[in-house]
Amino acid sequence: MAKATKKYVYYFGGKRADGKAEMKELLGGKGANLAEMVNIGLPVPAGFTITTEVCTAYYKNNKKYPKELDKQVKDALAKVEKEMGAKFGDSKNPLLVSVRSGARASMPGMMETILNVGLNNVTREALIAKTGNARFVYDSHRRLIQMYSDVVMEKAAGIEPAEGMGVRHQLEKELEKMKQSRGVKADTELTADDLKELIEIYKAKVLEVLGVPFPESPIEQMWGAVAAVFQSWMGRRAISYRKFEGIPDEWGTAVSVQSMVFGNMGDTSATGVAFTRNPATGQNYFYGEWLPNAQGEDVVAGIRTPNPINEVGKSEHTEHLPSLETAMAVTYKQLNKIQHTLENHYHDMLDVEFTIQEGRLFMLQCRVGKRNGPAAVKMALDMHKERLISKEDAVSRVQPSQLDELLHPIIDPAVEKTSSIIAKGLPAGPGGATGRVVFSANDAVAWAKEGKKVILVREETNPEDIEGMRSAEAILTGRGGMTSHAALVARGWGKCCIVGAGSIKINYPEKYFTVGGVTVKEGDWLTLNGSKGTVYQGELPMIKAAEENPDFVAFMSLCDQVRKLKVRTNADTPEDAAKARAFGAEGIGLFRTEHMFYGKNAEAPLFLLRKMICSNTVDERRSALDELFPFAKDNVKGTMEAMDGYPVTFRTLDPPLHEFVPTRTDEREKLAASLGISLEELNERAELLHESNPMMGHRGVRLGITYPEITEMQVRAIFEATAELLAEGKKPFPEIMIPVTCHVNEIKDQYVIINRIHDEVCAKFGLKKIAHLTGTMIEIPRAALTADKIAEVAQFFSFGTNDLTQMGFGFSRDDIGSFLPVYLEKKILPEDPFQSIDQAAIGKLMQIAVEGGRSTRPDLKIGICGEHGGEPKSIEFCHKIGLNYVSCSPFRVPIARLASAQAAVKELKAGKAKVKKPVKKVVKKVVKKTVKKTARKK
Ligand code: PEP
Ligand code: MG
């Protein structure tokens, strides 16, 4: 039997498509959704998609295509021609196509699109005869030359012209010259004859600049455009975008070749971009922009500021502009119906591109729309309320990083009210930001590297500016609408951004802008309100506002209904504990006692700690510890009070000792005097404390074993504080945690002390017992491997994944800066293991510890308190291996609540997928029962 040929080309058009929405990996987002729109009966110009596999093969085989491709493209093109009733390259009835990129994940503006492919001196005359619109045809032709020579003949060919010498720029100059010579301002004022002449000027210029003639053959144009799209996948800006977004190079892009329809055929034609809901606020109304007599690039490139699509979407800046709803009422109605159909079909907010050709509507693209954090939260909540999506889907609709945006600062409203606005634009990215003004992406990168906060101010942005936009706190542009490049990219990142602030006049060479009577120079401070679109001079103060946002609170509560992991916080002061509690923390997973010596009001206890460290005898040490005791008790008590009703895990002291010894002579003198010794003796004692490798030195439990009086003091502070709170009617629940454990005997040693002090405090306060737990950190590989033994005494485990990573890799936490960046760049490690758990090895150690610990003590409570406890991927891993809780810094608590919920949903969905078939008939009754149960729970 002959081997079946692989399918590389997927047709779509008329009433049927070869592909469907689920085929994004193969057809890219654009190709898959075009197919889906055809399948649900929407008007889509016919075309075909060349798969991502061709892109991968193209790069693997030295930029050669699979041999079957040519025939498959020919066959698909024939079908398109049949459907559209026109022929590609035909001298009487020519078909034109657009060639567009489409990766699996959307990469707005990062790759190439070429329109009007197939036009030459012959086909254009046929098109004029057919449409009777010479001006439009010549305009399309000159646009093709401009776009194609830039994208295909220059960029894809690897030519890197000097600044301002690129072919596109040179052609634009010719256009300007032509306008000047005709005494007109707008492109649209040039006549058909002018444009016809311009085409010949363009062709001559292309030959002069690039040394090769512009291709006349339509088929050559099409293949050139296809290759350029594949080339653009490996272009600098696409690579750098993928790096930021974590998109693998191996995915490749698909190419969609689609029949052209024209929005620039006169006043009954138009083009636009729209969202099924407002992507900046999440509000549920059809939101978009359109331009009459224009092609899609005019809207997206921000060259002309577009009109609002409907009346409800008008703002004070756009009030005076005509909406599509009033200008083309019938077509608008049809479009509005389609957007409802699409949202109901996809169960999500979509972003659509459409073109109206002489009154006839065509859908050119649809995809799940990018949205900022606040909008994502609002849409998820609303769609859940509207019964469009389940609560599991709702919690999956917000990226953990987007939640972060809700936690982002806003301008202090009191100050903002009294500040005068110097400019207004469109509110494209949320929140407030303040920084120094720079006028180029390169400067933004350079200044940010020096640690300066910058605001990038540009006429408009383009994909070349991507790194500068990333480095900036916020972006301000003079031109463009809500779907311009700057707005799309900033929204995707949740970055503060204002676009289309038309009143600012930028002087790039002299690096300043003017607005009204104000001049703002490079380096001057500027403040933006990206939610309102207002610009202020100077540095306005910022505040955080998330906890009071009702959407945020409601969304978090949805997450809590779904998640299984508990979320605690790492906090060591009453203030941090209160903050974390407001963010939803359900206890403290790590109270680092040594932190009371760093922060506010730390001077007195720090002095006493130093005294304790530099003590030489038990008596000296005891006397210093006695003085330290009231400070420790206060801090412990205040923190438990702030977390009342929830557990607080107190870790016994774990400081690198020598770090606490003062280096300044005056401080050493004071310390010596307090200890009643000479400076020389103190210096000698300090010298003895020096360690070659303090991270593996005299720290953690080792300290408690060698100096039991330290553990005694801390444990007494904890139990006495608990006893006092109990007497006050509070509900404290302390957990005492031993750090840096490697052997079960270490814990046994400390338990003797803990139990003795417990009994002493009970006697002092007349209590029978004080409820508490005693457990250990698992942060040394030996502890993980002997967890079964350790669990014989420890009542809980908490993974210290900072140290576990350090000890597991043998990478010093403090010294990775010199080599880790190179490891990441060379892809020796896929990511920084101190940020995301290395599941292959450190994760394996954790799994061994979980299994070992629970083999001895089945109800062993296990958590994580290393930095990874707030990182979404690591949280998912913790969920998978059956931890009870994660603990992270206060500001990451909401993110951890969301990530835990998403981990639970993933598990649920994977489980459903697995059991779906066998369950169907056999256990009908049981299924019913379960459904009832869950329904009752709600
Ligand atoms: C850890 O090692 O992960 C941990 C939480 O402890 P520390 O960072 O204080 O060493
Ligand atoms: Mg540690």
Side-chain angles (χ1 to χ4, degrees):
M1 215 169 78
K3 210 173 122 210
T5 39
K6 191 156 194 163
K7 189 166 172 64
Y8 289 116
V9 178
Y10 284 70
Y11 168 78
F12 56 86
K15 296 220 169 333
R16 60 158 284 270
D18 296 344
K20 55 183 174 183
E22 288 75 27
M23 294 169 81
K24 288 199 176 59
E25 289 181 16
L26 199 60
L27 304 181
K30 194 171 291 166
N33 287 330
L34 279 168
E36 190 74 7
M37 285 201 288
V38 167
N39 290 334
I40 59 172
L42 303 188
V44 174
F48 57 86
T49 301
I50 302 175
T51 67
T52 53
E53 284 179 353
V54 176
C55 181
T56 318
Y58 176 78
Y59 280 106
K60 240 195 216 147
N61 298 324
N62 215 0
K63 301 196 179 170
K64 278 201 208 76
Y65 298 121
K67 61 178 185 330
E68 302 90 335
L69 185 68
D70 192 57
K71 177 167 182 326
Q72 292 189 19
V73 165
K74 271 195 191 123
D75 292 349
L77 187 59
K79 278 192 198 168
V80 175
E81 291 173 335
K82 195 165 165 225
E83 176 63 36
M84 300 302 288
K87 229 170 153 36
F88 192 59
D90 196 62
S91 59
K92 293 208 175 58
N93 186 17
L95 174 80
L96 303 187
V97 296
S98 66
V99 177
R100 294 161 185 258
S101 60
R104 228 192 269 190
S106 125
M107 297 168 58
M110 290 303 120
M111 289 186 298
E112 303 300 356
T113 286
I114 300 133
L115 306 176
N116 304 323
V117 172
L119 267 181
N120 57 23
N121 287 10
V122 178
T123 56
R124 77 177 185 201
E125 295 310 319
L127 209 62
I128 292 171
K130 209 173 123 188
T131 61
N133 190 342
R135 198 197 170 280
F136 136 72
V137 176
Y138 290 133
D139 191 40
S140 300
H141 195 184
R142 72 101 194 155
R143 281 170 190 261
L144 169 71
I145 298 173
Q146 201 164 316
M147 210 184 256
Y148 193 97
S149 59
D150 171 40
V151 171
V152 182
M153 301 173 75
E154 189 172 88
K155 284 205 189 96
I159 299 168
E160 288 194 13
E163 182 76 29
M165 295 306 286
V167 68
R168 187 178 199 126
H169 189 73
Q170 302 218 34
L171 296 184
E172 265 160 19
K173 274 209 265 185
E174 296 301 327
L175 174 66
E176 281 309 313
K177 263 198 242 165
M178 168 76 78
K179 284 199 282 191
Q180 259 173 23
S181 75
R182 303 297 191 264
V184 298
K185 281 220 168 78
D187 299 3
T188 45
E189 292 172 87
L190 290 175
T191 65
D193 282 343
D194 293 338
L195 291 167
K196 190 174 178 188
E197 195 182 321
L198 190 64
I199 289 166
E200 295 315 311
I201 297 172
Y202 270 16
K203 282 189 189 166
K205 198 78 200 172
V206 169
L207 184 61
E208 179 197 319
V209 175
L210 299 171
V212 278
F214 187 81
E216 282 290 297
S217 150
I219 203 78
E220 191 188 329
Q221 286 176 7
M222 188 185 82
W223 281 109
V226 168
V229 170
F230 286 143
Q231 294 280 93
S232 68
W233 176 254
M234 285 300 180
R236 195 169 56 84
R237 63 184 203 229
I239 290 175
S240 99
Y241 185 88
R242 286 203 293 275
K243 212 160 81 192
F244 289 138
E245 299 287 322
I247 299 171
D249 291 348
E250 301 74 47
W251 280 6
T253 180
V255 182
S256 289
V257 178
Q258 190 175 20
S259 317
M260 283 295 298
V261 285
F262 298 95
N264 55 345
M265 277 180 88
D267 291 341
T268 54
S269 299
T271 190
V273 179
F275 299 85
T276 57
R277 301 186 186 213
N278 186 324
T281 63
Q283 283 165 297
N284 186 6
Y285 63 86
F286 188 35
Y287 178 89
E289 292 168 338
W290 74 291
L291 277 173
N293 198 11
Q295 279 197 329
E297 54 159 348
D298 299 333
V299 183
V300 180
I303 294 162
R304 285 161 65 183
T305 298
N307 305 323
I309 203 158
N310 48 22
E311 296 300 305
V312 55
K314 282 188 171 178
S315 68
E316 53 182 299
H317 314 289
T318 56
E319 239 160 13
H320 58 289
L321 299 170
S323 71
L324 185 72
E325 189 178 11
T326 49
M328 298 186 188
V330 176
T331 321
Y332 174 79
K333 258 196 195 140
Q334 191 194 351
L335 180 64
N336 194 28
K337 199 167 154 214
I338 286 176
Q339 67 96 7
H340 280 303
T341 307
L342 279 171
E343 200 174 86
N344 286 332
H345 184 74
Y346 280 88
H347 295 220
D348 205 345
M349 185 273 273
L350 298 171
D351 139 3
V352 299
E353 270 180 38
F354 62 91
T355 283
I356 301 164
Q357 179 176 308
E358 298 185 309
R360 190 167 159 206
L361 174 67
F362 291 96
M363 303 307 292
L364 301 188
Q365 174 173 322
C366 85
R367 62 185 168 192
V368 169
K370 291 212 184 249
R371 61 205 76 178
N372 61 35
V377 168
K378 178 159 173 50
M379 283 180 205
L381 281 172
D382 286 353
M383 288 186 188
H384 176 51
K385 267 190 232 144
E386 294 157 23
R387 293 174 182 269
L388 202 58
I389 56 175
S390 66
K391 74 175 168 236
E392 285 77 15
D393 283 335
V395 304
S396 310
R397 287 288 166 84
V398 179
Q399 313 270 332
S401 58
Q402 286 182 311
L403 253 201
D404 212 29
E405 287 167 40
L406 273 83
L407 310 174
H408 275 175
I410 57 167
I411 304 172
D412 183 340
V415 180
E416 189 174 6
K417 234 191 233 165
T418 58
S419 308
S420 47
I421 296 168
I422 59 164
K424 272 189 178 180
L426 301 174
T434 180
R436 294 165 190 278
V437 169
V438 292
F439 291 96
S440 80
N442 285 346
D443 285 342
V445 173
W447 288 41
K449 270 204 183 124
E450 290 169 20
K452 291 183 189 147
K453 285 177 161 191
V454 299
I455 307 256
L456 178 61
V457 181
R458 304 279 302 159
E459 278 299 341
E460 69 209 342
T461 67
N462 63 49
E464 255 88 46
D465 296 329
I466 204 85
E467 283 174 56
M469 295 168 74
R470 188 87 193 184
S471 304
E473 300 291 313
I475 301 138
L476 170 64
T477 73
R479 282 203 296 253
M482 289 291 274
T483 44
S484 64
H485 175 261
L488 277 182
V489 172
R491 191 175 308 122
W493 289 338
K495 187 165 285 224
C496 175
C497 175
I498 296 175
V499 296
S503 55
I504 67 168
K505 300 280 167 277
I506 303 177
N507 183 327
Y508 281 128
E510 291 176 33
K511 298 188 175 181
Y512 68 85
F513 75 80
T514 55
V515 60
V518 179
T519 301
V520 178
K521 296 195 290 291
E522 181 186 66
D524 287 352
W525 283 90
L526 203 64
T527 301
L528 310 190
N529 181 335
S531 310
K532 283 200 209 150
T534 45
V535 183
Y536 306 90
Q537 219 175 350
E539 187 187 6
L540 266 48
M542 301 282 151
I543 58 162
K544 304 223 169 214
E547 306 101 292
E548 278 123 49
N549 177 339
D551 283 346
F552 173 79
V553 175
F555 183 73
M556 283 288 104
S557 130
L558 267 195
C559 294
D560 294 345
Q561 291 169 38
V562 172
R563 73 185 158 97
K564 291 192 186 137
L565 276 173
K566 296 252 178 231
V567 177
R568 296 194 187 185
T569 190
N570 293 356
D572 352 82
T573 61
E575 296 79 38
D576 277 358
K579 175 104 230 155
R581 197 171 174 155
F583 278 136
E586 302 161 290
I588 290 182
L590 176 62
F591 175 104
R592 287 177 168 105
T593 304
E594 55 284 1
H595 279 192
M596 69 182 269
F597 307 112
Y598 298 134
K600 263 201 317 227
N601 308 326
E603 223 167 89
L606 179 61
F607 183 76
L608 296 168
L609 177 82
R610 285 170 166 172
K611 205 168 146 185
M612 188 272 288
I613 289 171
C614 295
S615 300
N616 240 10
T617 65
V618 176
D619 283 347
E620 260 179 28
R621 204 161 20 250
R622 273 198 193 285
S623 113
L625 285 166
D626 285 348
E627 287 184 78
L628 203 50
F629 177 77
F631 291 99
K633 192 165 118 185
D634 263 10
N635 206 25
V636 162
K637 191 173 169 187
T639 305
M640 272 199 285
E641 207 170 359
M643 268 294 158
D644 193 37
Y646 286 121
V648 177
T649 309
F650 294 103
R651 182 172 77 179
T652 52
L653 209 58
D654 180 15
L657 286 186
H658 76 286
E659 271 183 23
F660 283 94
V661 178
T663 44
R664 276 181 18 214
T665 313
D666 58 332
E667 285 187 338
R668 284 198 173 189
E669 275 169 351
K670 229 166 86 188
L671 201 57
S674 167
L675 280 163
I677 56 172
S678 66
L679 181 62
E680 288 69 37
E681 184 166 355
L682 188 102
N683 286 343
E684 264 170 39
R685 289 185 188 184
E687 187 59 31
L688 282 174
L689 283 169
H690 179 79
E691 292 177 317
S692 310
N693 193 344
M695 272 293 177
M696 296 202 200
H698 196 181
R699 61 177 282 216
V701 66
R702 299 156 204 173
L703 206 60
I705 287 174
T706 48
Y707 304 142
E709 52 280 5
I710 298 180
T711 307
E712 263 177 42
M713 184 279 287
Q714 279 185 273
V715 172
R716 194 182 301 281
I718 294 166
F719 283 135
E720 286 203 7
T722 311
E724 285 175 15
L725 287 170
L726 285 170
E728 292 165 25
K730 302 261 161 53
K731 291 194 202 76
F733 191 79
E735 299 176 341
I736 298 166
M737 181 161 78
I738 314 294
V740 203
T741 311
C742 65
H743 199 289
V744 64
N745 288 342
E746 293 172 319
I747 311 179
K748 284 184 182 160
D749 175 281
Q750 294 292 289
Y751 276 13
V752 174
I753 304 171
I754 296 170
N755 290 339
R756 177 166 53 81
I757 303 294
H758 169 265
D759 294 348
E760 283 177 22
V761 175
C762 282
K764 180 173 169 186
F765 285 80
L767 295 167
K768 247 204 212 136
K769 67 171 192 185
I770 296 172
H772 69 281
L773 289 181
T774 25
T776 183
M777 293 191 68
I778 302 288
E779 50 184 345
I780 291 188
R782 192 184 188 284
L785 298 174
T786 57
D788 52 341
K789 282 265 162 271
I790 290 182
E792 284 173 8
V793 277
Q795 291 171 303
F796 68 88
F797 286 175
S798 177
F799 286 108
T801 40
N802 304 333
D803 273 313
L804 197 58
T805 303
Q806 168 167 263
M807 314 267 181
F809 272 85
F811 288 174
S812 159
R813 281 159 76 168
D814 298 334
D815 302 318
I816 46 167
S818 53
F819 59 87
L820 196 65
V822 182
Y823 267 54
L824 298 179
E825 202 177 294
K826 291 192 164 181
K827 298 195 171 153
I828 288 171
L829 289 177
E831 59 199 326
D832 178 351
F834 287 96
Q835 283 182 25
S836 189
I837 289 173
D838 163 56
Q839 297 182 14
I842 307 304
K844 207 183 228 169
L845 284 171
M846 292 170 73
Q847 261 172 304
I848 292 171
V850 170
E851 280 160 26
R854 292 208 174 123
S855 72
T856 309
R857 196 186 282 267
D859 61 346
L860 184 73
K861 188 162 60 75
I862 309 178
I864 177 175
C865 63
E867 280 307 299
H868 307 85
E871 191 270 330
K873 247 194 302 167
S874 308
I875 293 172
E876 187 185 340
F877 179 72
C878 292
H879 172 95
K880 272 195 198 145
I881 63 169
L883 298 204
N884 300 89
Y885 69 86
V886 296
S887 188
C888 54
S889 65
F891 270 102
R892 288 168 104 183
V893 166
I895 293 167
R897 286 162 76 192
L898 172 59
S900 309
Q902 292 184 339
V905 172
K906 258 198 194 166
E907 185 185 62
L908 196 78
K909 290 199 168 160
K912 264 190 195 158
K914 259 187 238 148
V915 291
K916 224 175 190 167
K917 277 181 194 155
V919 162
K920 226 178 175 178
K921 267 186 188 165
V922 197
V923 283
K924 222 175 178 176
K925 270 191 181 159
V926 181
V927 172
K928 260 192 184 165
K929 261 192 196 161
T930 341
V931 170
K932 259 194 193 156
K933 248 194 193 162
T934 9
R936 226 180 287 133
K937 253 200 334 213
K938 274 194 225 159

